[in-house]
Amino acid sequence: MSRFDAGRLTRIGTWMQSYLDRDRFAGCSVLIAKGGAEQYFHSCGMRDMAAGLPFERDTVARIYSMTKPVTSVALMMLAERGLFHLDAPVSDFIPSFAEARCLIPDAADISQTEPCAPPTLHQLATHTSGLSYPFNPGLLARAMDGEDLLFKPDQGPLAAMTDRVAALPLAFRPGSRWEYSVGIDVLGRVIEVVSGKTLDQFLTEEIFEPLGMHETRFSVPPQAVDRFSALYTPLAGDSFSVSAVKTGGDPLRQVDHASKSPFLNASMHSGGGGLVGTIDDYLKFAEMLRTGGQGLLSPKTLAFMMRNHLPGDIASMGPQSFAEQPMEGMGFGIGGAVVLEPGRARSPGSVGDFSWGGMASTFFWIDPVEELSVVFFTQLSPSSSYPARPQLKALVHGALM
């Protein structure tokens, strides 16, 4: 079994500081555990540049799409109880999806549709449902952007937003392609319908409290308000625009102030991107995944989740969308990406690595071969701005001897 070289681990802090020195990140932190034991922690920079407040271990950050694996665990907890099967159509739980339609091939207008089957729960969890995101290319994405369908923290309640999504056509027939989407937000609503609890209640009672994740919620916990980070972007416009990084101007423009953020009192429980939390909390979640469920899920169920559920890699399914991970050499399980071939993914790692990231450039992965759990926090949107994730993987694996 490999071990970490302490001298090589220090390269990580040097690399993090280089991002600060080049005004790429305001602040960041990384936490690494191997075999359940902490091996490395480092934080540097600012959580709030204007206020001069440091980015620290207990800083509360927006984890955005790193919410997706959490919601996916909740989904599988209910599936384990025999309350549904993953091939069930979503319309069994959300009737507004019953009369589903999808865009015809090569449609030139959002009105050019044909009837199709409603997506299944499995297709929603694996981003093969035909749903999309407003920041993707394509007709559906533009329509979603026009209606601001992004499940933002101030856009609640969840049920109403889900019905608005269902009113639009799907981008393609469910199962025929891969496209990053609000599918796991829709699954959040399914969890509410099946469990009889709000998504916030279910996650808190069934996942966060059992794991000791006391500072991970949809709204910043009252005791953590003074530790909440600001959010920055290098873009001149919308910080969720993933197509290009602005050159020139302010590379760290603040777009969500910690004291005025809608995350202080969220009305939307976004299962796809709504959580805030600390790096130690998320390590607890990652370690639960790595070690076989810790009583929340069966090890068999977790192994099923973290397998590739696509016919090949993501790239083989013709994606036209943004994603939080590479598409070549990467498969997709229930709520996260799976490394199939590190060479094709062009990043060091082990076959079976399970990971995902968030729009504010946060990232985590677990490596079952090396018994690693790694969590990286920062607050820069969009996550496509800089290649921090493959660089961090290279640094971590470069420290294993």
Side-chain angles (χ1 to χ4, degrees), residues 84-314:
F84 49 72
H85 186 267
L86 292 180
D87 279 337
V90 66
S91 52
D92 283 0
F93 314 93
I94 306 175
S96 53
F97 278 97
E99 302 297 325
R101 299 185 69 86
C102 64
L103 295 172
I104 63 171
D106 301 317
D109 185 86
I110 195 73
S111 65
Q112 295 178 296
T113 66
E114 58 188 5
C116 65
T120 66
L121 304 185
H122 185 264
Q123 289 163 342
L124 290 166
T126 57
H127 299 299
T128 59
S129 65
L131 295 176
S132 189
Y133 261 125
F135 46 74
N136 284 332
L139 290 173
L140 175 58
R142 285 199 292 274
M144 293 179 71
D145 188 40
E147 296 187 28
D148 199 22
L149 300 182
L150 196 53
F151 294 82
K152 297 175 184 176
D154 56 357
Q155 287 185 318
L158 176 57
M161 180 66 81
T162 304
D163 286 340
R164 290 177 61 198
V165 169
L168 290 172
L170 302 172
F172 49 85
R173 286 192 173 274
S176 63
R177 281 207 340 243
W178 192 96
E179 183 157 326
Y180 197 38
S181 77
V182 298
I184 297 180
D185 286 289
V186 174
L187 288 176
R189 178 57 187 156
V190 171
I191 290 165
E192 291 188 333
V193 172
V194 173
S195 70
K197 300 178 180 180
T198 67
L199 185 61
D200 184 42
Q201 287 175 314
F202 189 90
L203 297 185
T204 298
E205 295 172 9
E206 306 257 4
I207 298 177
F208 300 147
E209 289 303 316
L211 293 179
M213 298 171 64
H214 302 305
E215 297 197 310
T216 300
R217 299 291 188 272
F218 288 110
S219 297
V220 180
Q223 76 276 10
V225 167
D226 62 350
R227 292 182 274 115
F228 186 41
S229 178
L231 178 68
Y232 298 89
T233 187
L235 303 184
D238 184 0
S239 64
F240 275 67
S241 176
V242 299
S243 57
V245 176
K246 174 193 171 190
T247 56
D250 185 359
L252 289 171
R253 180 171 65 89
Q254 188 176 115
V255 286
D256 189 19
H257 195 284
S259 66
K260 303 174 184 176
S261 173
F263 282 100
L264 296 174
N265 186 22
S267 62
M268 171 61 72
H269 299 154
S270 165
L275 291 173
V276 300
T278 61
I279 197 167
D280 276 282
D281 268 14
Y282 208 88
L283 184 73
K284 292 173 183 176
F285 177 76
E287 279 287 282
M288 179 275 293
L289 296 178
R290 188 188 66 81
T291 58
Q294 294 179 18
L296 301 187
L297 281 173
S298 146
K300 290 287 188 182
T301 300
L302 270 175
F304 167 81
M305 286 181 66
M306 295 188 287
R307 296 178 65 90
N308 182 30
H309 286 237
L310 306 180
D313 64 3
I314 297 173

Side-chain angles (χ1 to χ4, degrees), residues 313-316 319 323 325-331 338-351 353 363 387-395 397:
D313 64 3
I314 297 173
S316 71
Q325 283 282 272
M327 297 185 183
E328 293 184 355
M330 302 288 287
V338 185
V339 172
L340 305 178
E341 173 47 64
R344 292 193 64 230
R346 294 179 294 281
S347 181
S350 301
V351 173
D353 279 10
F363 182 50
R389 293 166 181 173
Q391 290 172 350
L392 179 60
K393 287 202 83 174
L395 285 157
H397 282 274

Side-chain angles (χ1 to χ4, degrees), residues 72-86:
S72 298
V73 164
L75 179 79
M76 295 310 299
M77 290 171 73
L78 294 173
E80 270 194 344
R81 299 170 193 177
L83 298 175
F84 49 72
H85 186 267
L86 292 180

